[in-house]
Amino acid sequence: MAFLGKTKRTVQQFPSPEELYLSESLPRTTAAVDSLWLHQGDVIRAYAQDHQDTPDLALELPTGTGKTLPGLLIAEWVRRKTAGPVIYATPTKQLAQQVAATAEREGVPVANLTGSAKHWDPADEASVEGSEAIGITTYSAIFNSSPKLPEPRLLIFDDAHAGEQFVGNEYGISIRRYDDENAYLEVVEALKPFLSGLLIQRLEGEPDPGAHHQVRLILPAVDQTALTKLDAALASLPKPHSYKLAMIRSGLAACCVYLSYGGIQIRPMIPPTYENHIYARAKQRIYLSATLGSGGELERAFGRRKIVRMPLPAKTPPRSGRRLFIFPDLVKGGDAIGLTRQIIDLTHKALVLSQDTVSNAEAVAKTLAGDNIPVMGRDDLERQGLESFSDAPTGVLGLANRYDGLDLPGDACRVVVLEGKPDAVGLQERFLSERAEANAALAERLRTRIVQGAGRCTRGPNDYAVVVVLGSDIMKYFSRPENLKALEPELQAEVEFGWQNSKGADPEEVIENVEMFLEHGGDWREQGEPAVAEFRQDAVKVEPPGTDALGKAAALEVEAWQLAFAGDWIGASEKLQKAVPHVGPAATRGYRGLLLYLAGVWLHLGAQDETQRSRARQLVREAALAANRGTWLKEMRDLPGAEDIPLVPEDVAAVNQLVARLRGQLKPKQINDALTEMRAALAQDEATRYERGLTTLGSFLGAEASKPKGQGRCDSAWVWDTTIWMTIEAKSEQHGDGLLPLKSIRQTNTQLDELAADRGMDHPPAGSPSIILSDKLSVDPRDAQTANPNVYLTSPAVVKEIAGDVASFWTNLLMTAVGITSEQAQKDHVTSVMTENGCLPSQVINRLTQGRIRPGD
């Protein structure tokens, strides 16, 4: 027979959420946890005492320390206390299932509202609407064009640090060329008014290396006709693009278009969540986050002006398990893949997280899996659930862009592989990172993904797992002191311990250490733990440069994008102009340039008189100055009446030199032969030939290029009059993903001064860089301190791309520029062709100076 009890929806006196748990009033199962952890109780108590009515509240619970149970208890307390609908949202269906299982175990009534609303159980809907159960759903069920959920009293977002990935991307259309080339080309057709003939030719043709692969920013609002065509093109796209268009169509004019050869993304930088009635009308929104950075990441991701942060009340942070970091690329032998396979073979089980495509992530997993080890991917996870992997005795699970919601405690999995740096999830992130030099704005997001990924297999204080950091880009991330210091002290110690025990170690020694760690017995406690503790003593968390500035600007940016989306261009511009002074430090210079440019364009769109239009043009000029070498600005459409942004002196010098060459005794066959040999030389390793190729490349860029004579001199020097110089030290014969030798840095430090002495000058021109070309893209943090501020580390692949672009623009010039009689017209044409190919000296220097070695400043 059924057990009937007293039904009561509202009660006047109520215990605290913690007392609710302790009072045994929840019908928990025998599988329920024995008790709350101390920090979980602290968080619940602090919420009840101080934050019941805070509209937007972020609660910090580090990864692996149990966010779900406190979240559910707060949700249940509010449901009982206020008799209002409560919704608990997760990024994915799989995580929603985990939350529902936890709720069932602890006796918290929940109803599943995931998937399509038409498949929801009406009884479940009614129970949530009537405050009889907590609705468990996904972010996408809230942030869509027609959400069917009841308007809640309380909204809880689990893993809110992933908000940008799961909220921001809902307010945009993303088209991958290789998934739907017809849709891609239809949108490109609408964007042609913003594109040069050469770029259109490249986008419609076969892919080739070069700057055109970089992400272009387009603001369609500056051309009303083109905006209308874009709207029509998007309206003709099939599902699911049509659903996403409904989210942004009313504010399409405010959206940014990010264009690359491989895809298109159309979205506002900050999502207009204020339009969503489920989200905006909730009395309270709680964001459960593993990290509470102060750079405004949560505010920008969720489109909220202010989110109050409630850090852990406990003075001592909870333990989140022990991780042994291994950096295979630092180990002797140069076989990072082989060593990673050996580590996985110790347990025959691993989770591989990559930021690449789904197919490539699964291909990496297959490469790393040993013989007869099953490989799983995204589709297996969606069909069978995480249990199909966690319960299996062996297997390698490869996932792309998944750093949250994967709980693999204990023996479920002891090895996680972080393959590649997760800094470009979507074209907007790629633009901010690679073009706008706004990495400071992404730092919090990137750090959180790495921390979350590293914690997938340490889900409790006594858990332990090996974290393999695979790939030169993510290893380079950990080599930067400012990135390491931004981590929590315990994690800093683990990373530093792993770095020191990987660098220069024999592969056999590394495997022995991993075996000792996985045994987790007396040897590890006597040898490993004390060593980690030593590193922990000196570890202090330091927010990265620019964090405070970005945090202060966030509220104004959110307001600005809301106004722009609603068509209030003047108000939006004013808000961004107020935000600009906050992002004044050098660390946020690129981001400041972007804000200034947007403020200028928006002011122009709303201008009522010439005074406002003049101010708009001034803001664009200020953006060019702030962005420094932000060459993306050269690609943007000019505002009507705007003056051409003058070329910087080195670009003038290069154009003059090339025009003089074109107007002299030109020998096209000789030039074409030289271009062919240059590209061949830069595609091989032999040092002498490679050096000649570098010097030829410099001369085709309008520089006086040569290899200075003498022992220990640079391999090629490029001189653009007295405006700017560049020295290049090429390590073309060095391969592998290890550390750059200290002697290479010391040698490069002096090369510009030696060049100045050759020319009888006291010092080189200000801003002149020295470049080291090497496949070894990481530097030991202690060695990085010895580098001069103007020394940069760059991959030879970048030079190879530049050589391809140089060949393209010279081929163009030989066909089009020779017949131009006017010298000024010829200069204008050369400038245009060089700009379009990313080959002005300022653009080339920008491409070669993305990786400064010395930290800080």
Side-chain angles (χ1 to χ4, degrees):
M1 67 181 282
F3 295 98
L4 300 179
K6 185 176 180 181
T7 300
K8 188 177 288 189
R9 293 195 179 186
T10 60
V11 181
Q12 296 302 314
Q13 298 296 322
F14 237 87
S16 71
E18 187 180 20
E19 291 168 341
L20 175 69
Y21 182 82
L22 296 174
S23 68
E24 302 294 339
S25 62
L26 294 175
R28 295 179 288 168
T29 68
T30 55
V33 297
D34 295 333
S35 62
L36 291 173
W37 289 336
L38 178 63
H39 67 276
Q40 291 177 319
D42 289 341
V43 166
I44 293 170
R45 197 178 308 114
Y47 167 78
Q49 290 174 355
D50 303 320
H51 294 290
Q52 292 185 45
D53 298 316
T54 304
D56 290 273
L57 177 67
L59 305 182
E60 182 180 51
L61 284 156
T63 183
T65 62
K67 294 190 301 297
T68 302
L69 183 52
L72 283 171
L73 290 177
I74 290 172
E76 175 64 1
W77 186 60
V78 171
R79 181 189 74 81
R80 294 190 181 197
K81 183 173 183 288
T82 64
V86 175
I87 302 292
Y88 191 114
T90 68
T92 66
K93 290 182 184 178
Q94 174 257 320
L95 184 54
Q97 292 168 359
Q98 289 180 213
V99 172
T102 301
E104 181 179 359
R105 183 190 72 200
E106 300 297 333
V108 176
V110 296
N112 185 346
L113 299 181
T114 61
S116 174
K118 64 184 178 183
H119 296 140
W120 292 349
D121 186 327
D124 285 341
E125 288 186 75
S127 68
V128 176
E129 185 78 58
S131 306
E132 295 172 350
I134 298 165
I136 306 294
T137 192
T138 57
Y139 284 24
S140 59
I142 298 170
F143 299 105
N144 63 65
S145 58
S146 181
K148 306 302 182 187
L149 295 163
E151 289 187 14
R153 165 64 178 81
L154 171 65
L155 258 178
I156 294 183
F157 293 96
D158 206 347
D159 286 336
H161 44 260
E164 166 58 28
Q165 191 174 347
F166 291 97
V167 179
N169 287 339
E170 291 294 327
Y171 287 88
I173 298 173
S174 294
I175 303 169
R176 293 189 72 246
R177 183 184 194 129
Y178 303 108
D179 292 339
D180 192 345
E181 187 163 29
N182 288 334
Y184 174 89
L185 293 175
E186 283 181 36
V187 176
V188 167
E189 183 69 31
L191 296 173
K192 282 184 177 179
F194 299 95
L195 312 177
S196 69
L198 177 60
L199 182 57
I200 292 170
Q201 177 182 322
R202 286 177 149 184
L203 291 174
E204 293 182 340
E206 293 298 317
D208 60 84
H212 64 287
H213 274 177
Q214 295 175 325
V215 180
R216 298 278 181 120
L217 171 64
I218 296 170
L219 301 181
V222 302
D223 186 326
Q224 194 60 44
T225 302
L227 178 63
T228 301
K229 290 182 178 179
L230 176 63
D231 179 82
L234 296 176
S236 68
L237 297 180
K239 299 173 184 176
H241 301 309
S242 56
Y243 294 140
K244 296 298 183 72
L245 177 60
M247 299 279 284
I248 60 172
R249 194 170 192 180
S250 65
L252 185 62
C255 289
C256 300
V257 178
Y258 302 98
L259 172 66
S260 75
Y261 186 91
I264 299 170
Q265 186 178 35
I266 303 167
R267 56 163 292 179
M269 279 186 65
I270 295 177
T273 55
Y274 70 95
E275 289 196 329
N276 183 289
H277 66 94
I278 300 297
Y279 179 71
R281 294 180 190 173
K283 296 293 187 299
Q284 186 178 46
R285 290 157 291 272
I286 293 179
Y287 310 86
L288 303 179
S289 179
T291 57
L292 291 184
S294 55
E297 172 65 19
L298 275 179
E299 284 82 355
R300 292 182 181 89
F302 283 89
R304 298 299 291 178
R305 187 181 184 281
K306 182 180 180 181
I307 298 176
V308 175
R309 286 153 171 74
M310 191 189 88
L312 275 172
K315 293 182 180 179
T316 303
R319 288 177 52 185
S320 55
R322 174 63 74 214
R323 287 147 297 205
L324 175 65
F325 281 81
I326 301 293
F327 296 85
D329 295 294
L330 296 179
V331 177
K332 286 181 183 177
D335 186 9
I337 296 293
L339 180 59
T340 304
R341 289 189 64 172
Q342 288 185 60
I343 293 171
I344 293 174
D345 281 344
L346 295 175
T347 63
H348 302 297
K349 201 166 187 185
L351 170 66
V352 179
L353 301 177
S354 170
Q355 81 139 35
D356 215 329
T357 62
V358 170
S359 59
N360 287 347
E362 293 173 11
V364 171
K366 289 179 182 177
T367 300
L368 296 176
D371 296 335
N372 302 317
I373 301 299
V375 175
M376 298 176 62
R378 181 192 65 180
D379 292 343
D380 301 291
L381 200 67
E382 292 182 352
R383 283 196 307 268
Q384 306 169 38
L386 186 61
E387 294 77 11
S388 60
F389 172 72
S390 62
D391 295 343
T394 63
V396 176
L397 173 60
L399 297 174
N401 300 320
R402 283 290 303 275
Y403 302 95
D404 293 286
L406 299 166
D407 288 349
L408 295 166
D411 292 331
C413 189
R414 295 288 187 193
V415 179
V416 57
V417 179
L418 301 181
E419 197 273 327
K421 185 174 70 167
D423 63 342
V425 179
L427 293 182
Q428 177 168 284
E429 286 192 17
R430 275 185 55 191
F431 173 78
L432 290 172
S433 173
E434 299 171 7
R435 304 303 315 283
E437 296 186 37
N439 285 301
L442 301 175
E444 192 175 313
R445 194 179 303 172
L446 170 58
R447 181 170 64 254
T448 298
R449 288 175 187 156
I450 289 176
V451 171
Q452 284 295 97
R456 291 303 91 207
C457 299
T458 44
R459 309 310 298 162
N462 297 316
D463 213 345
Y464 56 94
V466 179
V467 180
V468 182
V469 179
L470 185 62
S472 60
D473 56 347
I474 190 168
M475 186 178 74
K476 182 179 178 183
Y477 175 87
F478 279 110
S479 75
R480 304 290 296 184
E482 63 269 31
N483 294 335
L484 182 62
K485 291 178 181 178
L487 302 174
E488 292 298 330
E490 190 73 22
L491 187 53
Q492 283 187 47
E494 292 174 333
V495 171
E496 186 68 16
F497 175 83
W499 183 278
Q500 296 302 330
N501 284 278
S502 298
K503 190 176 86 170
D506 292 319
E508 297 79 9
E509 181 184 353
V510 172
I511 292 298
E512 288 177 8
N513 289 340
V514 173
E515 288 175 332
M516 180 197 301
F517 176 79
L518 289 174
E519 289 173 4
H520 229 67
D523 289 344
W524 169 256
R525 287 193 300 273
E526 293 172 8
Q527 299 178 45
E529 284 296 335
V532 176
E534 286 184 27
F535 287 109
R536 174 65 180 82
Q537 290 175 1
D538 299 326
V540 177
K541 182 177 180 180
V542 179
E543 291 286 359
T547 300
D548 185 58
L550 289 164
K552 291 176 180 176
L556 290 162
E557 291 178 56
V558 170
E559 291 182 45
W561 279 98
Q562 288 184 3
L563 292 168
F565 202 82
D568 183 354
W569 301 115
I570 300 293
S573 177
E574 289 175 351
K575 290 293 183 183
L576 278 195
Q577 290 179 63
K578 290 179 181 178
V580 165
H582 292 302
V583 286
T588 53
R589 183 170 182 171
Y591 196 64
R592 183 166 79 255
L594 178 60
L595 296 188
L596 279 165
Y597 183 77
L598 290 170
V601 170
W602 289 350
L603 181 56
H604 167 77
L605 292 173
Q608 301 296 313
D609 53 44
E610 185 53 35
T611 299
Q612 290 178 325
R613 283 186 282 272
S614 175
R615 173 59 179 158
R617 295 191 292 269
Q618 176 61 31
L619 288 169
V620 171
R621 288 193 293 271
E622 291 176 13
L625 293 173
N628 195 11
R629 292 193 294 267
T631 54
W632 62 273
L633 276 164
K634 293 184 173 70
E635 303 161 359
M636 305 304 291
R637 280 274 293 269
D638 291 334
L639 300 180
E643 303 170 6
D644 289 338
I645 298 174
L647 293 179
V648 294
E650 59 265 31
D651 293 346
V652 173
V655 169
N656 289 342
Q657 200 281 335
L658 294 186
V659 169
R661 192 170 177 179
L662 289 169
R663 298 181 78 81
Q665 301 209 342
L666 200 67
K667 297 180 179 179
K669 183 180 184 307
Q670 191 177 57
I671 288 177
N672 283 322
D673 289 346
L675 288 168
T676 301
E677 167 56 22
M678 173 195 73
R679 296 189 70 181
L682 296 175
Q684 56 84 57
D685 296 340
E686 196 276 318
T688 302
R689 189 182 178 196
Y690 192 91
E691 292 162 8
R692 287 199 300 267
L694 283 174
T695 297
T696 303
L697 177 61
S699 66
F700 278 121
L701 288 165
E704 177 191 339
S706 64
K707 174 170 173 47
K709 295 179 180 179
Q711 196 72 14
R713 302 296 299 275
C714 66
D715 294 316
S716 189
W718 299 354
V719 173
W720 288 279
D721 293 342
T722 57
T723 62
I724 203 164
W725 302 347
M726 182 160 61
T727 63
I728 303 176
E729 181 67 27
K731 305 299 179 184
S732 59
E733 294 177 328
Q734 293 182 2
H735 294 295
D737 289 330
L739 296 175
L740 184 76
L742 175 59
K743 63 180 181 180
S744 297
I745 299 172
R746 289 174 170 165
Q747 182 181 9
T748 306
N749 278 343
T750 63
Q751 290 176 347
L752 279 169
D753 289 334
E754 292 168 340
L755 189 61
D758 291 344
R759 294 174 170 265
M761 298 177 64
D762 293 334
H763 51 76
S768 296
S770 288
I771 310 297
I772 302 175
L773 296 180
S774 175
D775 285 330
K776 298 179 183 296
L777 294 176
S778 295
V779 179
D780 189 276
R782 289 171 293 188
D783 295 347
Q785 303 287 347
T786 67
N788 286 346
N790 63 333
V791 176
Y792 299 83
L793 180 57
T794 306
S795 167
V798 178
V799 171
K800 190 176 177 181
E801 290 180 356
I802 293 171
D805 290 335
V806 166
S808 294
F809 98 70
W810 265 99
T811 300
N812 183 303
L813 291 182
L814 292 176
M815 291 188 298
T816 61
V818 178
I820 300 174
T821 56
S822 164
E823 184 173 358
Q824 186 56 50
Q826 207 167 37
K827 287 181 179 180
D828 292 343
H829 181 69
V830 170
T831 299
S832 175
V833 176
M834 290 184 79
T835 301
E836 187 56 43
N837 285 275
C839 289
L840 287 171
S842 61
Q843 294 173 306
V844 170
I845 292 171
N846 178 261
R847 294 166 71 175
L848 291 172
T849 56
Q850 293 296 309
R852 195 178 71 155
I853 294 177
R854 186 180 180 89
D857 302 327

